[in-house]
């Protein structure tokens, strides 16, 4: 939404997300989840890739996914998958074809009361994601609201996820709930964030925003500027993480590992399941 803010947020931390190897030869740019920003409540991880929720948003190419419950599909350019792991799910994903595969994967933490819910998927094809253009600003509303448009995605942890493109000379004022944590990840181009007199910041930087009720952005360059704005309500709970397992205490992590090893309490179908998309 476009509105006048009483306290615009400023950039309080920024760093460049450098490529690193992850998994079976994949190269990712990790922002949240690296030493400079281990956790950013309620967010656990954000990767740009060439118990919690994972949000996979494809920028280019396609990825095929499959899990031990029999859910399988392919996410293409512009598509979204919002997966709630809940009490546990074994999941596999691989590039669907040769060529460039580029996307963003965000991990959103769940509160303790929701960690043991049943797994769930919400998927939107690119054509079904709300897109609005006004005064040189285009936004794709992945979650939350912008420019008067609401996403149909339900987020158990209140979250906004907005994909903005600003034409040269365009500026934006976007409201953010004042109690939420928020950050920006620049996909392409460069712009001024938090203040029109601030230094221009380029692609692949993550920008942690300070307190306030919104953010101002200006594209003063000759090329389009594309970035995601993500905000979420902090949970204020302890985080104990071991790989893909995220709980509140070490005892809960130990119990979850036992369930996984013994194929109990939600992991029963993992005992004989083998992914077919690696073949």
């Amino acid at each position: 939404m476009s509105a006048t803010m009483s306290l615009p947020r400023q950039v309080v931390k920024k760093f460049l997300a450098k490529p690193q190897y992850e998994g079976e030869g994949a190269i990712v740019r990790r922002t949240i989840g690296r030493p400079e920003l281990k956790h950013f409540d309620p967010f656990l991880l954000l990767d740009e890739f060439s118990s919690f929720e994972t949000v996979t948003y494809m920028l280019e190419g396609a990825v095929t996914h499959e899990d031990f419950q029999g859910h399988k599909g392919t996410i293409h350019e512009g598509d979204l998958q919002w997966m709630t792991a809940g009490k546990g799910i074994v999941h596999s994903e691989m590039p669907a074809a040769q060529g460039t595969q580029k996307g963003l994967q965000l991990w959103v933490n769940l509160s303790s009361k929701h960690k043991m819910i049943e797994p769930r998927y919400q998927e939107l094809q690119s054509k079904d994601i709300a897109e609005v253009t006004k005064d040189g600003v285009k936004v794709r509303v992945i979650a939350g609201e912008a420019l008067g448009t609401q996403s149909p995605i339900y987020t158990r942890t209140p979250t906004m996820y907005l994909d903005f493109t600003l034409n040269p000379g365009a500026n934006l004022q976007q409201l953010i709930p004042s109690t939420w944590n928020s950050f920006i990840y620049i996909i392409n181009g460069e712009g001024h964030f938090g203040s029109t007199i601030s230094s221009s910041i380029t692609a692949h930087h993550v920008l942690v925003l300070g307190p306030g009720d919104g953010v101002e952005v200006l594209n003063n360059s000759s090329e389009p500027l594309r970035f995601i704005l993500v905000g979420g309500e902090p949970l204020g709970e302890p985080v104990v993480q071991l790989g893909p397992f995220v709980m509140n205490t070490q005892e809960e992590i130990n119990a979850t590992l036992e369930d996984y090893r013994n194929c109990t309490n939600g992991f029963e179908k993992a005992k004989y399941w083998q992914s077919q998309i690696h073949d």
Side-chain angles (χ1 to χ4, degrees):
M1 79 188 56
S2 179
T4 301
M5 293 167 284
S6 60
L7 182 60
R9 295 183 181 226
Q10 303 300 318
V11 176
V12 295
K13 179 186 288 188
K14 72 171 183 177
F15 56 87
L16 181 65
K18 298 179 180 179
Q20 66 183 58
Y21 285 96
E22 184 77 11
E24 298 181 7
I27 299 177
V28 304
R29 291 180 183 268
R30 177 152 299 162
T31 55
I32 299 173
R34 57 186 290 147
E36 298 94 328
L37 195 62
K38 186 63 177 175
H39 299 123
F40 190 47
D41 192 8
F43 307 111
L44 301 166
L45 177 146
L46 175 68
D47 279 348
E48 178 183 349
F49 61 87
S50 322
S51 246
F52 52 90
E53 298 182 299
T54 63
V55 185
T56 304
Y57 180 44
M58 291 302 299
L59 303 175
E60 184 178 352
V63 167
T64 294
H65 58 91
E66 180 184 27
D67 70 29
F68 70 171
Q69 301 279 13
H71 188 277
K72 183 177 181 179
T74 299
I75 310 169
H76 297 89
E77 179 176 339
D79 293 350
L80 170 75
Q81 180 193 81
W82 198 294
M83 182 183 76
T84 303
K87 66 180 183 180
I89 196 164
V90 181
H91 179 87
S92 178
E93 53 191 25
M94 287 287 287
Q98 298 294 320
T100 300
Q101 322 296 323
K102 184 178 179 182
L104 300 169
Q105 188 167 85
L106 175 71
W107 291 18
V108 185
N109 201 7
L110 289 172
S111 66
S112 56
K113 65 183 179 182
H114 291 142
K115 275 188 164 49
M116 300 306 290
I117 63 175
E118 291 295 324
R120 178 191 183 196
Y121 289 90
Q122 299 176 83
E123 294 184 346
L124 287 178
Q125 292 185 337
S126 181
K127 65 180 179 62
D128 297 321
I129 294 177
E131 187 174 298
V132 184
T133 301
K134 182 179 180 181
D135 299 330
V137 175
K138 181 179 76 172
V139 61
R140 307 191 82 222
V141 186
I142 309 302
E145 181 181 351
L147 298 181
T149 299
Q150 183 82 32
S151 168
I153 291 292
Y154 171 66
T155 62
R156 286 192 178 274
T157 301
T159 305
M160 65 188 306
Y161 189 138
L162 307 173
D163 174 5
F164 284 105
T165 300
L166 273 62
N167 290 338
N171 62 77
L172 167 74
Q173 289 191 339
Q174 172 63 39
L175 292 180
I176 303 169
S178 60
T179 57
W180 288 16
N181 285 331
S182 60
F183 69 92
I184 284 169
Y185 180 67
I186 306 171
I187 300 171
N188 294 310
E190 61 180 292
H192 303 266
F193 297 84
S195 171
T196 57
I197 62 173
S198 63
S199 299
S200 182
I201 307 176
T202 56
H204 307 305
H205 278 88
V206 61
L207 315 177
V208 178
L209 301 178
D213 58 1
V215 66
E216 295 181 324
V217 182
L218 169 66
N219 180 6
N220 205 25
S221 73
S222 60
E223 300 292 333
L225 164 66
R226 186 180 183 188
F227 63 92
I228 61 164
L229 169 61
V230 180
E233 184 175 59
L235 300 175
E237 297 179 352
V239 174
V240 179
Q241 183 173 355
L242 181 62
F245 300 105
V246 183
M247 300 299 288
N248 297 108
T249 67
Q250 187 61 49
E251 291 74 18
E252 291 173 345
I253 284 286
N254 294 341
T256 302
L257 284 173
E258 283 300 303
D259 289 338
Y260 176 69
R261 292 173 183 145
N262 298 326
C263 299
T264 57
N265 292 329
F267 290 102
E268 287 81 1
K269 292 185 178 180
K271 188 172 185 178
Y272 301 107
W273 181 75
Q274 288 186 334
S275 173
Q276 302 301 308
I277 63 176
H278 291 277
D279 295 339

